[in-house]
């Protein structure tokens, strides 16, 4: 039988995208009681969902919203039977060995363009641009690194041309497609990325990407940088806006190593041997082959395994003597 591993799930939620709240809601369907600690940066999505669930009939002892600081958040993890925690590399390292905690770290979604694919062809370029900038480029499933077997410059140039056309608009505008931050925060982020991009070739955003909207806020415009090798440390950076690092890749010299530690990898190739190697790599948690954007979800297919795999376990049950 498929049974719960416990009764109470604590969730330390992220604030980068409202979609993260769709996952923990599944725990209610499996009979768990859920305590949600929302992100201080964006608590409204969690509040709206919990309020809707309460109005739908769930009691206060079944789903609760518990805003709190970091110290109390640790108590939520310790006090629950199981916990789902979002954070950076430090959070993943802290809980990696805990079988009762499911850590969600940086996505570091990637696209691999093999030599048998022309990434500048319109349909492939559409996939790359959508993967980088769809959903404002803020989700963990947005592409942050593109690996090109061959010369990466034409791909970087084509991406820069397409991404430069995205408009800078206030977030309440119907045509808004880019994230907006307070001007000071946007300038701080701009300074940080400039420092990290030292030595890279800037195809877009090298002179700055914080576009002042005149009301104390700034749109975070896309940035495209070309790095010198597949092992460049910049390819591991994940920014809260459309920012991509384009790198050369060689299957003989680099192999699968630079593609590891990836939430979603889209492979633009028809090479079955390469696809097989990527499928066997355990740290590539989701593999898309062909023109399937890294952030796109297919009904019934999870982007990082089924939550039920963590919340439930198989229990042998028999009423007959052997």
């Amino acid at each position: 039988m498929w049974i719960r591993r416990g009764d109470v799930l604590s969730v330390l939620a992220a604030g980068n995208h409202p979609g993260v709240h769709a996952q923990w809601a599944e725990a209610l369907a499996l009979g768990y009681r859920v305590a949600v600690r929302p992100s201080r940066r964006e608590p409204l999505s969690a509040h709206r969902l919990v309020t809707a669930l309460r109005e739908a009939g769930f009691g206060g002892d079944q789903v609760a919203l518990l805003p709190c600081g970091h110290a109390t958040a640790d108590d939520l993890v310790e006090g629950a039977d199981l916990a789902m925690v979002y954070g950076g590399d430090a959070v993943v390292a802290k809980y990696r060995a805990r079988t009762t905690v499911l850590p969600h770290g940086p996505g570091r979604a990637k696209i691999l363009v093999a030599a048998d694919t022309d990434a500048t062809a319109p349909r492939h370029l559409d996939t790359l641009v959508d993967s980088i900038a769809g959903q404002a480029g803020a989700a963990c499933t947005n592409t942050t690194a593109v690996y090109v077997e061959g010369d990466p410059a034409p791909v970087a140039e084509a991406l820069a041309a397409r991404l430069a056309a995205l408009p800078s608009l206030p977030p309440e505008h119907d045509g808004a497609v880019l994230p907006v931050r307070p001007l000071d925060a946007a300038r701080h982020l701009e300074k940080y990325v400039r420092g990290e991009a030292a030595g890279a070739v800037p195809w877009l955003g090298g002179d700055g990407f914080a576009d002042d909207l005149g009301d104390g806020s700034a749109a975070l415009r896309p940035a495209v940088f070309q790095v010198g090798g597949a092992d460049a440390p910049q390819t591991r950076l994940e920014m809260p806006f459309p920012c991509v690092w384009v790198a050369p890749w060689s299957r003989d010299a680099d192999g699968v190593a630079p593609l590891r530690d990836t939430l979603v990898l889209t492979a633009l190739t028809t090479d079955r041997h390469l696809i097989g190697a990527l499928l066997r790599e355990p740290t590539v948690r989701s593999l898309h082959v062909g023109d399937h954007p890294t952030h796109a979800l297919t009904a019934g297919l999870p982007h990082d395994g089924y939550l039920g795999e963590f919340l439930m376990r198989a229990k042998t049950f028999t009423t007959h003597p052997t």
Side-chain angles (χ1 to χ4, degrees):
M1 296 185 67
W2 197 230
I3 65 161
R4 293 191 304 274
R5 295 177 60 204
D7 294 311
V8 179
L9 171 70
S10 286
V11 180
L12 307 189
N16 65 309
H17 194 280
V20 300
H21 300 291
Q23 189 175 27
W24 63 255
E26 297 177 16
L28 293 170
L30 294 172
Y32 275 86
R33 292 180 289 161
V34 182
V36 183
R37 186 254 187 181
S39 165
R40 289 187 294 177
R41 186 175 72 186
E42 199 282 277
L44 298 180
S45 293
H47 183 273
R48 291 175 67 189
L49 181 53
V50 170
T51 300
L53 289 166
R54 291 281 189 85
E55 292 181 355
F58 285 91
D61 63 335
Q62 292 175 292
V63 57
L65 186 71
L66 302 176
C68 59
H70 289 293
T72 308
D74 289 338
D75 292 336
L76 290 181
V77 173
E78 297 301 327
D81 297 312
L82 299 176
M84 183 164 61
V85 179
Y86 290 83
D89 288 326
V91 169
V92 174
K94 179 179 179 179
Y95 294 113
R96 190 189 305 275
R98 299 261 310 256
T99 59
T100 58
V101 179
L102 178 64
H104 289 288
R108 299 195 176 99
K110 305 175 179 69
I111 292 181
L112 173 63
V113 182
D116 61 352
T117 302
D118 177 12
T120 60
R123 65 189 178 95
H124 298 320
L125 191 57
D126 287 345
T127 298
L128 268 72
V129 170
D130 189 14
S131 296
I132 295 164
Q135 305 184 61
C140 60
T141 50
N142 281 112
T143 296
T144 53
V146 175
Y147 295 85
V148 182
E149 189 174 21
D151 184 6
V155 177
E157 183 179 16
L159 286 174
R162 287 280 299 272
L163 292 168
L166 297 180
S168 296
L169 295 169
E172 64 272 14
H173 193 285
D174 288 343
V177 292
L178 295 174
V180 173
R181 290 285 181 91
L183 183 58
D184 289 346
R187 295 294 188 206
H188 181 77
L189 183 62
E190 186 179 65
K191 182 179 179 181
Y192 172 78
V193 173
R194 280 180 174 175
E196 294 295 326
V201 177
W203 286 95
L204 182 65
D207 296 328
F209 51 80
D211 193 1
D212 190 347
L213 296 178
D215 60 355
S217 67
L220 301 179
R221 295 201 52 76
V224 179
F225 298 95
Q226 180 182 333
V227 294
D231 60 348
Q234 293 97 328
T235 60
R236 294 184 59 80
L237 290 177
E238 191 169 78
M239 297 292 107
F241 72 104
C243 179
V244 65
W245 310 87
V246 184
W249 177 81
S250 166
R251 69 182 70 200
D252 295 327
D254 299 310
V256 175
L259 307 173
R260 291 175 178 151
D261 191 23
T262 301
L263 177 58
V264 184
L265 172 66
T266 288
L268 296 178
T269 183
T270 58
D271 188 322
R272 296 179 64 85
H273 293 290
L274 177 58
I275 294 169
L278 299 174
L279 191 59
R280 290 188 297 271
E281 172 52 48
T283 65
V284 175
R285 303 200 293 282
S286 296
L287 177 63
H288 299 166
V289 178
D291 289 295
H292 191 93
T294 52
H295 66 74
L297 296 179
T298 301
L301 300 180
H303 79 282
D304 192 15
Y306 291 107
L307 182 59
E309 295 176 280
F310 171 68
L311 297 178
M312 311 293 282
R313 72 177 182 89
K315 179 175 184 178
T316 297
F317 171 70
T318 180
T319 60
H320 301 286
T322 56

